[in-house]
Amino acid sequence: MKTYHFSQALLPDGWARDVRIAVDGDGWIAAVQAGTPAAGAEAHAGIALPGLPNLHSHAFQRGMAGLAERRGTMEGNFWGWRDVMYRFLAVLDPDDVSAIAAQAYVEMVESGFTAVAEFHYLHHAPDGRPYSDIAEMAGAIGRAAAESGIGLTHLPVFYGFGRFGGGPTDPGQRRFVTGPDDFARLVEASGWALRGLPDAQVGIAPHSVRAVTAATLNAVVAAAGPVPVHIHVAEQQREVDECLAWCGRRPVDWLHDEAAVDQRWCLVHATQVTAAEVARMAASGAVVGLCPITEANLGDGIFPLPPFLEGGGRFGLGSDSNVRIDAAEEMRLLEYGQRLRDQARNIVAGGEGQSTGRALYDRALDGGARALGRRIGALAVGRRADIVLLDAEHPALGGRTGDHLLDGWIFAADGRAVSRVWVGGRPVVVEGRHVSRETVRRRFAATIGRLLAAQ
Ligand SMILES: [Zn+2]
């Protein structure tokens, strides 16, 4: 048992001072006590928050960050970006993926994300054949998670088809494609590959409405049992247009008509939706996975958050393409997109006098923990000891208390506000730096240098 003492902490029933948190040997919170002296505990004069879950990541895409920002040689839109991404991933081997993912995860933890849902579709060798261990790539992700310490919900992707209604895949998708039976083997083998990680979970991710049929979607969901189910949906207008042309329905409507969408599900993006679709998603209990930095980078559009929240909808945040990795920036950009569209301020805050930063944080904790299917997202007994410590001396935080601390971090601070991070009770960030930062950075730099030289 290890005991910590924090000068301020955000607990489930609100802010508290002089908080002792005891962590058991397996990384779970065993006791929380407010208003008590440090008395033998490891004392930190800072602000303790529950670590933020990152509900949507494609870790390998960190390696191509900034390489698709040039206009001219291809379509200046999402589909041109996807072509660049397909060329980048065509040659990656398991060690490359592990090196890139470790860099992404180190940056996540340094920014305040303590858990990640890895939406993992790079399954097979470059020629499209399965590795002799079908879960070789899941193992590569697991090694990166272990090195970074981040909590992992691994989501093997089911990618059955290349276009709506069961159309053929392209050569660029051959590393992703499986049939339902191979997919079931892959999910099981992924669980074995990750069994050494503390509290790792395995869910599933049907890639998108265009990569499944109703029959295969329901088959893989039924075979997986009670685990998280994540799916990309309605990210782009072209996707909506193609879905309408195929079946006369929009992707979010199709999904709710054809599958039993409930609170196990995470609907990623859902950018292009009607008011009726917003109401269906909110009523389903599913978490909507919003990825504001990536959605801005790819020009996806802005999610209609006010009607979704009024309908009781839940959301969490994801870093998706990992073009930038910053927990506070995801929250800030989510709110700013809404402000720019509505020409108004404090959109996510629930009512008069409420803090926007607090509303963003509470909702991202709740939606993220639910989407990851893990006991995280609160400093409370029985939850994982995932703790982010903000520096009380940071200029944007000094002299503040309560919700002003979250508003200061999200809207006014920079990346240096996070001073320490524990994941499962293990210290992984100390004085703002991940304990393996240099090792991981050097291997990442060598990997990227070799990959780009060969392009
Ligand atoms: Zn994605």
Side-chain angles (χ1 to χ4, degrees):
M1 192 79 75
K2 173 98 186 171
T3 306
Y4 300 94
H5 185 272
F6 303 104
S7 43
Q8 298 182 70
L10 181 60
L11 301 182
D13 53 1
W15 290 97
R17 286 187 173 275
D18 295 314
V19 175
R20 281 168 69 100
I21 297 180
V23 180
D24 73 20
D26 294 323
W28 301 96
I29 296 177
V32 180
Q33 194 180 5
T36 187
E42 183 181 307
H44 294 281
I47 302 120
L49 303 173
L52 200 66
N54 177 354
L55 59 57
H56 189 66
S57 161
H58 311 286
F60 77 85
Q61 292 179 10
R62 182 63 183 147
M64 57 168 283
L67 292 175
E69 307 299 329
R70 186 177 303 184
R71 194 183 178 110
T73 54
M74 64 201 88
E75 277 183 287
N77 63 20
F78 173 87
W79 308 97
W81 171 86
R82 194 179 74 159
D83 287 343
V84 175
M85 188 262 287
Y86 280 9
R87 280 201 298 280
F88 179 76
L89 68 79
V91 297
L92 299 179
D93 70 19
D95 286 344
D96 297 335
V97 167
S98 194
I100 297 169
Q103 175 67 26
Y105 295 163
V106 160
E107 293 183 52
M108 285 178 199
V109 173
E110 286 187 346
S111 88
F113 286 125
T114 47
V116 64
E118 180 64 28
F119 196 107
H120 175 73
Y121 56 89
L122 195 54
H123 302 313
H124 308 316
D127 64 3
R129 276 186 285 201
Y131 289 103
S132 56
D133 170 4
I134 194 173
E136 172 99 33
M137 279 293 193
I141 294 294
R143 290 198 298 281
E147 189 166 23
S148 67
I150 200 164
L152 179 66
T153 296
H154 188 71
L155 303 168
V157 167
F158 174 68
Y159 207 111
F161 306 96
R163 32 190 74 71
F164 288 101
T169 49
D170 301 330
Q173 295 159 340
R174 67 185 165 220
R175 300 192 74 177
F176 324 153
V177 179
T178 63
D181 293 341
D182 283 343
F183 181 69
R185 283 206 304 128
L186 175 65
V187 172
E188 189 183 356
S190 298
W192 280 102
L194 302 173
R195 67 191 179 283
L197 280 178
D199 194 44
Q201 300 291 319
V202 176
I204 63 165
H207 179 272
S208 53
V209 173
R210 64 178 186 277
V212 299
T213 58
T216 54
L217 174 63
N218 285 308
V220 297
V221 170
V227 298
V229 178
H230 291 219
I231 186 168
H232 291 126
V233 66
E235 179 177 8
Q236 287 279 326
Q237 186 58 42
R238 186 175 115 183
E239 176 191 340
V240 177
D241 295 343
E242 289 177 358
C243 192
L244 280 166
W246 161 58
C247 70
R249 286 174 286 166
R250 304 169 60 88
V252 168
D253 275 334
W254 183 92
L255 195 60
H256 286 77
D257 290 346
E258 302 294 339
V261 176
D262 62 16
Q263 54 193 350
R264 271 197 303 153
W265 289 63
C266 177
L267 311 180
V268 182
H269 304 303
T271 318
Q272 306 297 336
V273 282
T274 62
E277 287 176 308
V278 167
R280 289 185 88 172
M281 291 191 294
S284 73
V287 174
V288 167
L290 301 174
C291 309
I293 294 174
T294 297
E295 288 156 8
N297 182 267
L298 296 179
D300 289 342
I302 299 173
F303 181 77
L305 202 47
F308 181 68
L309 295 179
E310 279 157 29
R314 294 184 131 98
F315 73 82
L317 292 167
S319 63
D320 193 4
S321 72
N322 296 313
V323 64
R324 280 263 305 142
I325 295 176
D326 190 314
E329 187 174 320
E330 295 287 3
M331 291 183 274
R332 182 166 67 242
L333 195 55
L334 175 61
E335 169 70 21
Y336 280 176
Q338 306 292 315
R339 292 187 188 189
L340 287 163
R341 181 198 55 217
D342 293 350
Q343 300 178 46
R345 303 187 72 248
N346 298 313
I347 307 289
V348 178
E352 202 174 315
Q354 289 195 9
S355 149
T356 299
R358 177 68 181 277
L360 284 163
Y361 208 72
D362 281 351
R363 288 176 177 281
L365 285 174
D366 170 63
R370 181 175 290 252
L372 267 63
R374 298 182 60 228
R375 285 186 286 141
I376 53 177
L379 300 180
V381 172
R383 303 290 183 108
R384 206 83 191 127
D386 294 354
I387 305 169
V388 169
L389 189 73
L390 300 181
D391 175 9
E393 306 294 311
H394 189 285
L397 303 180
R400 289 158 209 242
T401 58
D403 291 345
H404 281 138
L405 293 164
L406 283 170
D407 292 330
W409 179 37
I410 294 167
F411 293 103
D414 57 18
R416 285 168 293 183
V418 173
S419 61
R420 285 175 184 262
V421 178
W422 293 261
V423 185
R426 176 182 154 206
V428 289
V429 173
V430 177
E431 292 178 5
R433 298 171 72 87
H434 193 282
V435 294
S436 302
R437 182 198 268 191
E438 274 312 299
T439 316
V440 168
R441 186 195 61 76
R442 266 191 238 109
R443 195 174 65 235
F444 173 75
T447 301
I448 295 301
R450 182 168 41 72
L451 289 168
L452 294 186
Q455 291 248 315

